[in-house]
């Protein structure tokens, strides 16, 4: 363990847990990260000290609650360097953020327009677009990948035409670990006035995100994959789009005036936040951004990179391992198969040894189809993981191999 990362580990109570009599080795960070005490405490203390509905009351607690909620929005804005708090919409998570844009943005398009997603998308960045396309008579096109798991930029250029209105693409593949060249894609798209939405679910905890630098039109992420709580996430959208787009859901909070003759909508960001928001979640998300800032995202990313390279090397040495994804310029996600061993069987045995990893299709069936497989094993790292854990995992994997020999 890197000495300066030791501190971090002690902040995660769950990492001391034993599973099946073995010390937990948590390698399922791509599905959700564990939460540090400061985040758990932020969520709990909201309910202990401030709980009250926001934006409505004149009473003390409601005012405090509203201030804390709006401060959280401002903290999140700074974290991704958005220009204005109006560009930060709180949602349930990446999935809801994509659904919001898919429904609202698509409703402004004309029959016959098209939207592009890539082969490596999570179902969350496919299905909402399929639904929107069906509803509005739009066409969904696919940006393909190469056999080593990189986006095929040439092919992408060839599916763009003058009816293309939006490209929605993942920043980092949750299966392959591929880091997509977002800036290049944005530049290409903007030349033709095409908007770009980034699924940032896998990048937000690993890369420094600056939405102004990326110049993307939309950016979605979930708090629970960046050491924050479940049930809260963010849609960043450029104000010029959010102003134009119609509301996604109707209800309280998102309106200015309601009458049966006609209703007027609230201003940004409230126009897109119907109903009582997850106030405690937003506050705990803001705490998670502070945790990341204090630890240093660059340092965290470098450590995760070291872990990934170490694991890749050792797995390669082991033999009989088939990898999916690029060799270089990749994130802390490793998908692989052991020859002749079903990932589910291996995963079940590894669980008995205290190791949490993911097996299956990782919500990316079109990608599985591309590789002609039914699933993989996936290990994914967070900053609190250690070399010792990887060694133990490799030892355990070796045992699994022996059992099946
Ligand atoms: C996890 C994930 C999602 C979905 O996130 P939710 O928190 O379940 O809404 C979308 N895209 C990618 C790449 C993911 O890894």
């Amino acid at each position: 363990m890197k000495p300066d990362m030791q501190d971090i580990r002690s902040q995660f109570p769950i990492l001391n847990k034993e599973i099946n009599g073995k010390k937990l080795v948590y390698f399922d960070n791509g599905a959700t990260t564990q939460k540090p005490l400061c985040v758990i405490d932020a969520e709990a203390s909201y309910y202990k000290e401030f709980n009250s509905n926001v934006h409505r009351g004149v009473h003390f607690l409601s005012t405090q609650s509203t201030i804390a909620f709006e401060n959280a929005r401002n903290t999140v804005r700074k974290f991704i360097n958005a220009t204005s708090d109006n560009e930060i919409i709180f949602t349930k998570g990446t999935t809801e953020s994509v659904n919001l844009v898919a429904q609202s943005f698509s409703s402004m398009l004309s029959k016959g327009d098209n939207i592009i997603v890539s082969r490596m998308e999570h179902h969350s960045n496919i299905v909402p677009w399929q639904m929107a396309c069906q509803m509005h008579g739009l066409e969904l096109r696919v940006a393909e990948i190469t056999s080593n798991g990189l986006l095929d930029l040439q092919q992408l250029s060839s599916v763009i035409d003058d009816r293309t209105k939006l490209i929605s693409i993942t920043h980092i593949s949750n299966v392959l670990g591929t880091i997509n060249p977002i800036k290049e894609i944005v530049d290409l798209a903007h030349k033709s006035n095409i908007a770009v939405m980034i699924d940032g679910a896998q990048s937000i905890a690993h890369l420094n995100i600056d939405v102004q630098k990326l110049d993307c039109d939309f950016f979605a992420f979930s708090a629970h994959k960046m050491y924050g709580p479940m049930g809260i996430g963010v849609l960043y959208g450029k104000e010029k789009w959010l102003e134009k787009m119609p509301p996604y859901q109707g209800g309280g909070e998102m309106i200015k005036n309601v009458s049966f003759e006609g209703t007027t909508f609230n201003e940004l960001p409230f126009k897109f936040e119907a109903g009582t928001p997850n106030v405690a979640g937003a506050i705990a998300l803001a705490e998670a951004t502070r945790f990341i800032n204090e630890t240093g995202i660059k340092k965290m990313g470098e450590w995760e990179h070291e872990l990934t390279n170490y694991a890749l090397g050792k797995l390669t040495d082991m033999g009989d391992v088939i990898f999916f994804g690029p060799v270089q310029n990749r994130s802390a996600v490793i998908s692989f198969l052991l020859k002749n061993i079903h990932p589910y069987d291996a995963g079940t045995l590894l669980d008995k040894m205290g190791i949490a990893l993911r097996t299956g299709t990782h919500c990316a069936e079109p990608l599985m189809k591309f590789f002609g497989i039914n699933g993989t094993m996936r290990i994914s790292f967070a900053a609190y993981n250690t070399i010792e854990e990887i060694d133990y995992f490799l030892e355990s994997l070796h045992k699994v191999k022996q059992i099946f020999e």
Side-chain angles (χ1 to χ4, degrees):
M1 184 90 216
K2 264 217 157 88
D4 54 351
M5 284 290 163
Q6 197 75 54
D7 277 356
I8 245 207
R9 202 170 161 86
S10 63
Q11 296 179 49
F12 291 80
I14 207 170
L15 297 178
N16 295 321
K17 213 175 154 68
E18 290 199 347
I19 306 288
N20 295 321
K22 301 278 174 4
K23 198 153 180 278
L24 167 67
V25 170
Y26 188 77
F27 283 174
D28 195 16
N29 296 287
T32 198
T33 57
Q34 297 303 342
K35 327 298 174 201
L37 255 184
C38 60
V39 166
I40 300 169
D41 287 348
E43 177 117 9
S45 79
Y46 171 76
Y47 287 117
K48 284 188 207 152
E49 292 172 49
F50 295 111
N51 180 53
S52 183
N53 214 331
V54 289
H55 300 142
R56 291 182 187 129
V58 291
H59 62 83
F60 181 81
L61 281 180
S62 176
T63 311
Q64 291 297 304
S65 193
T66 303
I67 291 171
F69 183 58
E70 291 308 318
N71 278 344
R73 194 190 307 277
N74 183 259
T75 303
V76 170
R77 174 189 76 70
K78 287 186 192 135
F79 186 66
I80 61 169
N81 195 30
T83 330
S84 150
D85 287 4
N86 289 347
E87 298 178 321
I88 304 297
I89 312 293
F90 284 122
T91 63
K92 279 192 300 190
T94 308
T95 303
E96 192 180 39
S97 299
V98 178
N99 274 280
L100 191 164
V101 180
Q103 301 230 349
S104 174
F105 187 91
S106 303
S107 74
M108 304 190 300
L109 304 181
S110 315
K111 216 169 162 179
D113 286 345
N114 67 73
I115 283 162
I116 299 173
V117 299
S118 92
R119 167 70 60 180
M120 67 173 89
E121 297 312 310
H122 188 283
H123 294 160
S124 288
N125 197 25
I126 299 175
V127 183
W129 299 108
Q130 286 176 324
M131 289 163 66
C133 285
Q134 197 164 32
M135 184 173 270
H136 302 289
L138 313 172
E139 187 195 338
L140 190 64
R141 295 186 175 176
V142 181
E144 288 295 345
I145 60 171
T146 62
S147 58
N148 53 355
L150 297 173
L151 194 69
D152 185 341
L153 283 172
Q154 227 165 354
Q155 190 270 350
L156 170 62
S157 299
S158 76
V159 290
I160 291 176
D161 64 16
D162 57 359
R163 299 297 301 270
T164 305
K165 300 297 175 195
L166 183 138
I167 299 172
S168 190
I169 189 155
T170 196
H171 198 169
I172 293 179
S173 160
N174 64 312
V175 181
L176 307 171
T178 312
I179 304 172
N180 282 318
I182 293 309
K183 188 70 180 83
E184 234 174 290
I185 297 166
V186 168
D187 290 345
L188 174 77
H190 284 179
K191 261 189 230 149
S192 311
N193 287 321
I194 299 166
V196 178
M197 171 153 201
I198 310 296
D199 172 348
Q202 291 294 335
S203 61
I204 191 76
H206 305 283
L207 300 176
N208 181 34
I209 301 298
D210 181 330
V211 290
Q212 291 189 63
K213 253 195 207 143
L214 288 173
D215 197 27
C216 54
D217 299 276
F218 303 99
F219 190 97
F221 60 94
S222 303
H224 72 93
K225 290 185 180 177
M226 51 174 290
Y227 310 100
M230 289 187 174
I232 182 97
V234 170
L235 171 69
Y236 157 81
K238 278 187 182 163
E239 203 160 353
K240 67 163 186 185
W241 286 121
L242 296 179
E243 285 291 353
K244 266 190 222 148
M245 285 158 56
Y248 162 57
Q249 291 179 327
E253 194 81 356
M254 53 76 70
I255 46 81
K256 193 171 267 158
N257 294 108
V258 177
S259 77
F260 286 114
E261 287 69 46
T263 289
T264 51
F265 302 126
N266 205 337
E267 61 228 39
L268 288 175
F270 313 112
K271 181 172 94 176
F272 289 108
E273 291 179 354
T276 299
N278 182 354
V279 181
I283 290 167
L285 162 59
E287 190 58 38
T289 69
R290 274 191 283 274
F291 167 77
I292 292 174
N293 284 339
E294 272 162 33
T295 315
I297 191 139
K298 190 158 173 283
K299 205 169 79 178
M300 292 162 94
E302 281 165 4
W303 176 238
E304 289 154 1
H305 191 66
E306 245 178 83
L307 293 170
T308 308
N309 282 346
Y310 182 78
L312 277 172
K314 291 283 181 183
L315 279 167
T316 308
D317 293 347
M318 199 156 137
D320 297 336
V321 179
I322 307 151
F323 292 105
F324 299 90
V327 181
Q328 278 173 340
N329 191 28
R330 61 185 343 281
S331 189
V333 177
I334 303 176
S335 276
F336 65 97
L337 284 172
L338 289 176
K339 251 178 220 150
N340 306 324
I341 303 176
H342 195 284
Y344 182 81
D345 294 336
T348 308
L349 284 171
L350 289 166
D351 174 57
K352 297 259 185 303
M353 304 174 193
I355 299 167
L357 53 68
R358 187 136 296 244
T359 63
T361 61
H362 317 295
C363 299
E365 285 177 20
L367 183 60
M368 295 295 126
K369 193 170 164 208
F370 176 86
F371 286 109
I373 52 176
N374 298 321
T376 70
M377 285 191 261
R378 182 188 74 181
I379 52 175
S380 47
F381 303 124
Y384 44 65
N385 286 127
T386 67
I387 295 284
E388 291 77 15
E389 285 179 314
I390 295 176
D391 286 338
Y392 174 72
F393 161 71
L394 291 162
E395 245 171 68
S396 309
L397 200 61
H398 199 71
K399 281 189 197 143
V400 169
K401 271 179 74 181
Q402 280 173 335
I403 290 169
F404 282 95
E405 258 166 24

